[in-house]
Amino acid sequence: MAPALRYLGGACARARGGFSGALAWGWGPAPGAPWPLGRGGRRASTSSFDVVIVGGGIVGLASARALILRHPALSIGVLEKEKDLAVHQTGHNSGVIHSGIYYKPESLKARLCVQGAALIYEYCNQKGISYKQCGKLIVAVEQEEIPRLQALYERGLQNGVQGLRLIQPEDIKKKEPYCRGLMAIDCPYTGIVDYRQVALSFAQDFQEAGGSVLTNFEVKEIEKAKESPSRSKDGVTYPIVIRNTKGEEVRCQYVVTCAGLYSDRISELSGCNPDPRIVPFRGDYLVLKPEKRYLVKGNIYPVPDSRFPFLGVHFTPRMDGSIWLGPNAVLALKREGYRPFDFSARDVMDVIIKSGLIKLVFQNFSYGVNEMYKALFLSATVKHLQKFIPEITVSDIHRSHQRTPSLTSHCQARAPWTLTSW
């Protein structure tokens, strides 16, 4: 375990004041009995762990679960700033289990997506978590989209995606009676699930294995311990101090950050490089009225345009039976701003001063203008949706209160977590 952690920790710079060498690895007993999720727990000021994971979303909880199941002798804690777990990106997404068709063959993304889809189905079966393997059509509605569709199909085959077929209009009608298209990729392995339910199940597994979850713990500072408390060896055994906005602290040997929309800031607090910076985008969804749900059976996606960093507006069934239409992609004025007028001066200034926003805007100017237009005018979005299902009208849909945060940067997507040790 220790060599792997030290290798990962070497991927970022040591934090301010850090030791020059790797620490001797010390095992500690698992903390006391787990406490109910979102209901409080042990006082943070008395907690020491071998590993602390910052972030109680699905990435943080999956990491915590994997660590404690593989290395049960480790004492591990998860810190979450909200009173409940998995309430941001994990709880605000379309819920699609992607099959792995989009990514470059032999890339890590391609391998993880294909393997991850199989593992999520297996896990849901084991835990009795509901999901629907409803499939997906990627539909070409214009002649110039067909070469891109065929290339995408070949990519999916190279990635080992199960059950892929190129189908013609008559077979499109058999899968989606109200959808029009010239050609489509049939992806039967695509599904939908409630990812927050999955994340909470991860948390339960983690706690039952002896892990601790501390909610209402918003990390403000991560530093090397300056001195040991009186008659305590914590400063030697647990040299990393993590403080929250209330002045409470936990100590640990290693810290793993899985902070989602705040990954750059928490990475910087831990002494790592904050680049690439987060530029937040908000995705707004429309919802098909209940009496019109018969128009859509499974996921219906457009052929993606590789010039732009988004998949485009699509039709997505949900576990509750509703049908979401979207999302668009509009620059958000707050990192966790789910409403159009949510605003944070700090977040806006960070985007303007520290990020590559100007470069991003110029690279995607026409796309951005089109997304803003569709966000303002419902009829513009409906016109796009009618390319796939002509029967849809403005009166068939309404705006959803659900909005998903997404993140991008001027250079590349941030790794899902970083690790620092002293």
Side-chain angles (χ1 to χ4, degrees):
M1 182 63 189
L5 287 173
R6 287 171 187 147
Y7 172 78
L8 290 168
C12 64
R14 297 294 179 186
R16 297 177 298 275
F19 295 136
S20 59
L23 286 173
W25 190 258
W27 307 117
W35 46 270
L37 297 180
R39 301 288 184 182
R42 297 183 306 152
R43 292 291 297 171
S45 57
T46 64
S47 298
S48 298
F49 302 97
D50 293 314
V51 180
V52 163
I53 295 171
V54 179
I58 196 168
V59 175
L61 294 170
S63 300
R65 175 182 179 273
L67 276 173
I68 204 164
L69 292 181
R70 295 177 189 178
H71 305 279
L74 284 174
S75 58
I76 303 174
V78 171
L79 309 181
E80 167 56 43
K81 70 184 178 70
E82 306 292 353
K83 66 182 180 67
D84 295 308
L85 296 172
V87 297
H88 288 296
Q89 285 187 286
T90 305
H92 290 79
N93 61 76
S94 60
V96 176
I97 303 172
H98 285 285
S99 58
I101 192 172
Y102 294 107
Y103 301 120
K104 181 180 177 181
E106 299 184 2
S107 67
L108 182 60
K109 285 184 178 181
R111 294 201 305 272
L112 290 179
C113 193
V114 173
Q115 295 171 12
L119 289 172
I120 199 72
Y121 285 131
E122 179 183 344
Y123 182 80
C124 288
N125 287 331
Q126 290 175 352
K127 297 294 182 176
I129 297 173
S130 297
Y131 66 88
K132 296 177 183 177
Q133 195 171 319
C134 54
K136 173 172 68 176
L137 293 184
I138 303 174
V139 183
V141 294
E142 305 289 349
Q143 196 68 38
E144 59 265 26
E145 294 176 335
I146 290 180
R148 300 206 310 270
L149 184 77
Q150 292 171 327
L152 190 62
Y153 171 71
E154 294 298 329
R155 172 172 286 192
L157 293 179
Q158 292 179 60
N159 288 343
V161 178
Q162 297 183 26
L164 287 185
R165 295 190 304 150
L166 268 179
I167 60 176
Q168 302 301 319
E170 57 272 19
D171 289 320
I172 294 175
K173 288 291 184 183
K174 291 177 183 177
K175 297 282 291 188
E176 291 286 351
Y178 296 93
C179 179
R180 66 173 286 268
L182 303 176
M183 185 181 292
I185 299 173
D186 179 17
C187 309
Y189 202 60
T190 300
I192 56 173
V193 72
D194 181 344
Y195 278 114
R196 185 163 191 262
Q197 186 180 359
V198 174
L200 294 180
S201 183
F202 287 166
Q204 184 176 352
D205 294 344
F206 171 67
Q207 289 181 295
E208 289 175 351
S212 295
V213 176
L214 284 72
T215 55
N216 290 306
F217 195 108
E218 183 174 357
V219 174
K220 181 181 180 181
E221 187 177 13
I222 303 174
E223 66 176 9
K224 170 183 170 288
K226 294 180 175 62
E227 60 182 38
S228 301
S230 177
R231 296 185 299 278
S232 172
K233 294 183 179 180
D234 275 6
V236 175
T237 308
Y238 304 104
I240 300 176
V241 180
I242 305 174
R243 294 189 181 89
N244 67 9
T245 53
K246 302 173 186 176
E248 299 172 313
E249 68 180 42
V250 299
R251 290 172 178 258
C252 61
Q253 295 191 41
Y254 292 89
V255 56
V256 182
T257 67
C258 307
L261 290 164
Y262 289 89
S263 60
D264 55 344
R265 292 180 186 170
I266 299 299
S267 178
E268 188 170 25
L269 285 180
S270 71
C272 295
N273 193 328
D275 292 328
R277 297 282 183 173
I278 299 301
V279 179
F281 281 76
R282 187 186 71 253
D284 299 322
Y285 281 91
L286 303 174
V287 177
L288 202 57
K289 290 183 177 179
E291 60 270 24
K292 293 293 184 176
R293 290 175 182 173
Y294 67 88
L295 292 173
V296 179
K297 294 184 178 296
N299 294 279
I300 303 174
Y301 276 62
V303 180
D305 189 333
S306 60
R307 295 175 300 169
F308 305 118
F310 305 102
L311 290 180
V313 173
H314 41 269
F315 301 75
T316 305
R318 301 280 293 172
M319 289 302 298
D320 63 2
S322 62
I323 305 293
W324 284 13
L325 316 173
N328 57 15
V330 180
L331 184 68
L333 301 180
K334 186 178 181 181
R335 293 198 177 198
E336 291 168 351
Y338 302 110
R339 295 169 297 184
F341 299 106
D342 285 345
F343 177 83
S344 165
R346 181 186 177 185
D347 291 349
V348 170
M349 292 304 295
D350 273 0
V351 168
I352 294 173
I353 296 173
K354 296 181 180 180
S355 76
L357 177 64
I358 302 301
K359 181 179 179 181
L360 185 70
V361 168
F362 277 106
Q363 287 179 339
N364 303 279
F365 183 77
S366 62
Y367 186 93
V369 170
N370 186 49
E371 290 298 295
M372 291 180 65
Y373 181 77
K374 288 191 293 185
L376 292 172
F377 299 101
L378 189 61
S379 59
T381 301
V382 171
K383 184 177 181 180
H384 176 80
L385 295 170
Q386 287 173 338
K387 293 180 179 180
F388 300 89
I389 300 183
E391 285 82 357
I392 287 181
T393 66
V394 173
S395 62
D396 294 332
I397 60 178
H398 60 85
R399 294 189 184 274
S400 171
H401 67 282
Q402 293 284 354
R403 293 177 169 87
T404 63
S406 58
L407 55 118
T408 186
S409 71
H410 62 282
C411 48
Q412 64 186 49
R414 169 164 294 283
W417 51 272
T418 59
L419 186 144
T420 300
S421 66
W422 273 266

